Amino acid sequence: VHMSLLAARPASGHDVLLHAGAGGVGLASQEYCHFIGNRAMADVGRPYKHFYLARMGLTGRLLSSRDMGAFALGASKLLGSGRLRFSLNSLSADFIACTFALLRQDGKLCEIGKRAVWSYERHAAALHSNFTMIALDSTIDQAPWWMCGTLRTLSARADAFVLHGLPME
């Protein structure tokens, strides 16, 4: 989550989309987006997850991760004539194409998925938006000094009660 926000640099008031919003990455992303002042929307599948995220403050900003058509329609309705500044993606197939269609020209899609994701070449051929593939496992190997700094930053934010542990529910 931290890496994706460093790559995208969303500012206060920007619209952002968090795929799989009720998972660990989605919940941590929502907390960061709230801290930054983004207008987050998230997609989830099961009704109890919709209920859970609505209780967390995303009422009216939840989308379906089960039905591509419902997702596209809901996201377009939420954005109106606007576009997304940032999306953190972990879904595959048509959700990737739809997410790119929702991005504004300087929008950024950060991909954390590992299965059925687009290659850099496909992104370059099809789109004008920025794309970043995030793989923490390889980043740790390639830049351990960066990971140490990131962990210090996250620890300081947790000490300041900006970040919290994930719920145990």
Side-chain angles (χ1 to χ4, degrees):
V1 172
H2 185 75
M3 289 176 68
S4 68
L5 292 168
L6 285 175
R9 303 256 184 234
S12 179
H14 283 160
D15 285 306
V16 300
L17 170 62
L18 309 172
H19 286 292
V25 171
L27 293 172
S29 298
Q30 288 171 49
E31 191 166 40
Y32 255 99
C33 287
H34 179 74
F35 172 67
I36 293 169
N38 298 134
R39 291 186 305 263
M41 63 180 77
D43 58 41
V44 292
R46 298 179 185 238
Y48 74 90
K49 292 179 180 181
H50 280 264
F51 176 74
Y52 181 76
L53 292 183
R55 282 191 355 209
M56 289 184 64
L58 287 176
T59 301
R61 300 204 43 95
L62 296 172
L63 306 162
S64 173
S65 65
R66 303 280 183 198
D67 182 330
M68 186 43 230
F71 167 80
L73 183 63
S76 295
K77 185 177 178 186
L78 282 174
L79 290 168
S81 62
R83 290 282 181 248
L84 294 171
R85 173 62 176 84
F86 164 66
S87 179
L88 180 56
N89 186 54
S90 58
L91 301 180
S92 58
D94 293 337
F95 284 91
I96 297 172
C98 185
T99 300
F100 269 113
L102 294 168
L103 288 173
R104 63 191 211 186
Q105 191 167 357
D106 65 342
K108 182 83 154 180
L109 186 139
C110 294
E111 176 66 69
I112 62 169
K114 300 279 189 182
R115 294 182 307 120
V117 298
W118 286 10
S119 67
Y120 278 109
E121 294 77 22
R122 183 169 180 190
H123 287 288
L127 306 159
H128 63 273
S129 299
N130 292 319
F131 168 72
T132 301
M133 204 174 272
I134 295 175
L136 188 58
D137 51 352
S138 63
T139 302
I140 291 170
D141 287 342
Q142 295 168 5
W145 51 267
W146 179 86
M147 192 66 220
C148 287
T150 299
L151 290 173
R152 278 194 290 278
T153 299
L154 296 174
S155 178
R157 289 182 181 164
D159 287 345
F161 299 104
V162 171
L163 300 177
H164 306 89
L166 295 175
M168 299 297 287
E169 296 174 16

